[in-house]
């Protein structure tokens, strides 16, 4: 964990068969945070590579989907006394060098859910129009501003982790997190991040 004067923040990486791509993600994140990889039933060497890169690893015996892996990581973070969690994907879509943006938002008290906001103009077709359109409809449904509902690069505070009631096990959990934050009257904030595909 970090110095006691600073919030203890955990980097959480859910992973499924990402042995070929996870090492630079773990090593990059470890420049700023302790890192936990939840290996979601991989059949390759994901867990071994993550450990060799310096991550703590928890393994699911079978693939239970991304949302379930996040739930496992959230419970682990709460049990080990962390003040916040930053989630990022194992496939290199999220640049670990941008973690300080989330830490700065936490320090500034920007919100209990801080989401990385991508530049839609840099997304491949059809995502460059379907993603913002989906965010617009979700804003109407939830009654609050949503700019990037699919980004998995996020910071969640302990207050949100302790109170939200999640039921999803797949990628839809990312929308459910926002709905829960709004239901609880907690603030959602946004930080700009790189848009990486390929």
């Amino acid at each position: 964990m970090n110095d006691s004067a600073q919030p203890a923040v955990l980097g959480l990486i859910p992973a499924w068969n990402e042995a070929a791509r996870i090492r630079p993600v773990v090593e990059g994140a470890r420049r700023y945070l302790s890192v936990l990889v939840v290996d979601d039933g991989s059949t390759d060497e994901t867990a071994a590579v993550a450990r060799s890169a310096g991550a703590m690893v928890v393994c699911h015996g079978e693939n239970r989907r991304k949302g379930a892996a996040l739930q496992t990581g959230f419970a682990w973070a709460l049990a080990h006394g962390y003040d916040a969690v930053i989630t990022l994907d194992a496939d290199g879509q999220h640049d670990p060098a941008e973690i300080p943006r989330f830490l700065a938002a936490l320090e500034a008290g920007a919100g209990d859910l801080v989401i990385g906001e991508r530049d839609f103009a840099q997304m491949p077709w059809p995502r460059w129009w379907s993603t913002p359109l989906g965010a617009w409809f979700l804003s109407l449904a939830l009654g609050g501003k949503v700019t990037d509902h699919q980004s998995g690069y996020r910071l969640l505070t302990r207050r949100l982790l302790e109170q939200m009631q999640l039921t999803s096990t797949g990628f839809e959990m990312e929308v459910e997190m926002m709905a829960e934050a709004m239901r609880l009257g907690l603030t959602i904030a946004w930080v700009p991040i790189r848009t990486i595909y390929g």
Side-chain angles (χ1 to χ4, degrees), residues 115-118 120 123 130-139 142 146-152 154 171-178 190:
I115 301 175
E117 182 179 18
R118 298 165 294 177
F120 300 132
M123 292 183 178
S130 62
T131 301
L133 182 63
W136 183 78
F137 279 115
L138 187 61
S139 297
L142 296 180
V146 173
T147 61
D148 189 347
H149 62 296
Q150 294 181 339
S151 173
R154 302 176 172 212
F171 288 94
E172 65 273 15
M173 178 178 284
E174 286 160 353
V175 172
E176 190 179 17
M177 286 180 199
M178 290 184 279
W190 310 86

Side-chain angles (χ1 to χ4, degrees), residues 148-162:
D148 189 347
H149 62 296
Q150 294 181 339
S151 173
Y153 207 170
R154 302 176 172 212
L155 180 144
L156 299 87
T157 65
R158 186 178 186 91
R159 176 164 54 181
L160 176 58
L161 291 172
E162 288 178 334

